[in-house]
């Protein structure tokens, strides 16, 4: 088969790779219906996160099960499945507390930008739909695999409740789906920080009431002005930079909550400043598996359409253009179709 490999900064290649096979008896092999490029893939693509060797890419996926290992009990060949970017047994004490992305057996998926994928710990990682979903729902089901689940975790970690005032820092796919998540959780007012017209439009479509274009101290002042000088009850930090984290902390009301899901790069916190800010700070790799059954049902029932974040669809063999489009902010998120349809 062929798959995506990153050789160095902005050097993405689609090349021959070994076809996955069952290695452990708990594995499953999936033929992918769709995969995509994640905003976090851009860190190594831009050279900000270094790689030591040519590295296969991709961690978002959905598709049809082709084969399962002899110890797999709940997942069957022929089923349509969605899985998390982090594998989990879904039975250990950490999983039982709802943090499957820190499972005692966790592995992070990294080869999903291909046509076929091996998924370890299939019973605990994958969620099957009862029937094969219609083609038009594939993008939204793919979104549950990471960006929607991550946006949902950000809102959950930020303690979004009915009636809350919520601020979303970041207008990438995760931030936009954080807006959608906050709306689903009953937020009364959602403020999205964005400077891009197309993303502002989608943020409003997903439930944002206000758009803030200012950054830094000006951004904080604008947020305070919109919240009677207090700050937001809940803030979703969906970027992972020093600027975005400071924006989040300074925009949260005393006693408020920050859910941070942007993979940190160069972020350091002043303990004294954090001490006097009086905010709750919680985040990390999203335990997507915790939310997958609920999110899949919301998609299948037609209650949400997170697939709208995919504004560019390409055949998988054009993956390099998908990376370029996101890097240059010509696309929010690139959907890749292994069968070449678009």
């Amino acid at each position: 088969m062929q798959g995506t490999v990153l050789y160095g900064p902005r050097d993405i290649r689609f090349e021959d790779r070994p076809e996955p096979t069952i290695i452990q008896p708990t594995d499953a092999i999936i033929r992918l219906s769709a995969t995509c490029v994640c905003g976090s893939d851009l860190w190594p693509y831009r050279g900000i996160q270094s790689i030591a060797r040519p590295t296969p890419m991709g961690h978002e996926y959905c598709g049809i099960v082709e084969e399962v290992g002899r110890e797999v009990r709940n997942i069957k060949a022929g089923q349509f499945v969605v899985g998390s970017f982090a594998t989990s047994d879904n039975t250990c004490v950490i999983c039982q507390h709802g943090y499957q992305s820190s499972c005692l057996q966790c592995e992070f998926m990294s080869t999903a930008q291909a046509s076929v994928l091996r998924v370890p710990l299939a019973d605990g990682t994958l969620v099957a739909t009862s029937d094969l979903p219609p083609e038009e729902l594939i993008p939204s089901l793919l979104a549950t695999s990471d960006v929607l689940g991550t946006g949902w975790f950000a809102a959950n970690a930020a303690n979004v409740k009915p009636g809350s005032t919520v601020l979303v820092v970041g207008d990438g796919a995760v931030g936009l789906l954080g807006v959608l998540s906050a709306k689903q959780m009953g937020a009364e007012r959602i403020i999205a920080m964005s400077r891009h017209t197309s993303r502002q439009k989608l943020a409003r479509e997903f439930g944002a009431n206000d758009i803030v274009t200012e950054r830094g101290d000006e951004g904080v002042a604008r947020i305070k002005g919109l919240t009677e000088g207090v700050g937001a009850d809940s803030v979703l930090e969906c970027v992972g930079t020093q600027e975005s984290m400071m924006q989040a902390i300074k925009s949260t009301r005393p006693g408020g909550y920050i859910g941070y899901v942007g993979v940190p790069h160069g972020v350091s916190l002043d303990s004294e400043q954090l001490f006097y800010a009086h905010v709750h700070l919680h985040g990390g790799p999203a335990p997507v598996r915790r939310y997958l059954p609920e999110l899949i049902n919301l998609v299948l029932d037609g209650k949400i359409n997170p697939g709208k974040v995919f504004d560019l669809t390409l055949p998988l063999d054009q993956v390099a253009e998908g990376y370029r489009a996101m890097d240059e902010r010509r696309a929010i998120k690139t959907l890749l179709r292994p069968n070449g349809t678009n």
Side-chain angles (χ1 to χ4, degrees), residues 70-240:
R70 67 179 183 276
E71 293 182 12
V72 177
R73 299 289 179 263
N74 301 321
I75 300 299
K76 311 293 183 184
Q79 288 181 317
F80 181 90
V81 292
V82 183
S84 167
F85 61 85
T87 69
S88 59
D89 57 28
N90 210 31
T91 59
C92 76
V93 63
I94 305 300
C95 290
Q96 291 303 301
H97 282 287
Y99 285 83
Q100 290 90 338
S101 49
S102 286
C103 172
L104 295 176
Q105 299 190 67
C106 176
E107 297 179 37
F108 287 99
M109 301 295 291
S110 61
T111 61
Q113 287 167 9
S115 55
V116 183
L117 179 68
R118 181 181 75 92
V119 180
L121 302 173
D123 276 338
T125 301
L126 299 173
V127 176
T129 58
S130 56
D131 300 296
L132 295 182
E135 182 67 24
E136 62 269 19
L137 292 185
I138 297 296
S140 285
L141 290 168
L142 176 62
T144 68
S145 179
D146 181 356
V147 283
L148 176 58
T150 297
W152 199 272
F153 175 56
N156 186 240
N159 198 41
V160 174
K161 302 290 186 186
S164 296
T165 294
V166 177
L167 170 66
V168 180
V169 180
D171 64 356
V174 170
L176 291 168
L177 292 176
V179 171
L180 181 152
S181 300
K183 184 68 174 179
Q184 285 291 309
M185 293 179 186
E188 182 175 321
R189 186 177 194 180
I190 302 172
I191 305 165
M193 302 193 80
S194 175
R195 290 174 168 170
H196 300 86
T197 302
S198 62
R199 299 172 188 231
Q200 292 171 356
K201 180 180 178 182
L202 192 52
R204 288 193 181 277
E205 189 173 340
F206 282 155
N209 307 97
D210 301 283
I211 302 293
V212 170
T213 59
E214 295 88 350
R215 295 291 184 272
D217 290 341
E218 290 184 0
V220 173
R222 180 78 192 286
I223 300 303
K224 294 292 182 71
L226 290 169
T227 56
E228 300 181 345
V230 174
D233 301 313
S234 300
V235 177
L236 284 57
E237 192 286 302
C238 303
V239 182

Side-chain angles (χ1 to χ4, degrees), residues 157-334:
N159 198 41
V160 174
K161 302 290 186 186
S164 296
T165 294
V166 177
L167 170 66
V168 180
V169 180
D171 64 356
V174 170
L176 291 168
L177 292 176
V179 171
L180 181 152
S181 300
K183 184 68 174 179
Q184 285 291 309
M185 293 179 186
E188 182 175 321
R189 186 177 194 180
I190 302 172
I191 305 165
M193 302 193 80
S194 175
R195 290 174 168 170
H196 300 86
T197 302
S198 62
R199 299 172 188 231
Q200 292 171 356
K201 180 180 178 182
L202 192 52
R204 288 193 181 277
E205 189 173 340
F206 282 155
N209 307 97
D210 301 283
I211 302 293
V212 170
T213 59
E214 295 88 350
R215 295 291 184 272
D217 290 341
E218 290 184 0
V220 173
R222 180 78 192 286
I223 300 303
K224 294 292 182 71
L226 290 169
T227 56
E228 300 181 345
V230 174
D233 301 313
S234 300
V235 177
L236 284 57
E237 192 286 302
C238 303
V239 182
T241 64
Q242 182 73 18
E243 179 188 23
S244 62
M245 182 61 84
M246 290 303 99
Q247 192 79 73
I249 292 171
K250 292 178 180 179
S251 300
T252 307
R253 67 163 172 79
Y257 292 75
I258 298 169
Y260 66 100
V261 295
V263 180
H265 287 79
V267 176
S268 61
L269 299 179
D270 181 326
S271 59
E272 184 176 357
Q273 179 188 33
L274 192 60
F275 181 80
Y276 286 105
H278 237 153
V279 299
H280 301 78
L281 191 63
H282 179 46
V288 170
R289 180 59 181 82
R290 186 205 309 181
Y291 308 117
L292 268 179
E294 178 182 3
L295 299 180
I296 288 171
N297 284 336
L298 286 172
V299 168
L300 295 177
D301 292 343
K303 294 181 179 178
I304 58 173
N305 187 6
K308 289 183 178 181
V309 296
F310 295 107
D311 55 349
L312 177 62
T313 300
L314 295 171
L316 182 56
D317 61 7
Q318 294 181 28
V319 60
E321 168 57 19
Y323 273 81
R324 283 193 297 269
M326 289 177 62
D327 180 38
E328 297 166 6
R329 298 186 75 86
R330 292 184 283 113
I332 299 171
K333 191 166 179 66
T334 303

Side-chain angles (χ1 to χ4, degrees), residues 6 8-10 39-51 240-241 263-266 327:
L6 177 66
R10 294 180 170 84
S40 64
D41 293 333
L42 297 181
W43 293 110
Y45 178 77
R46 290 167 173 162
I48 297 171
Q49 178 181 323
S50 62
I51 59 171
T241 64
V263 180
H265 287 79
D327 180 38

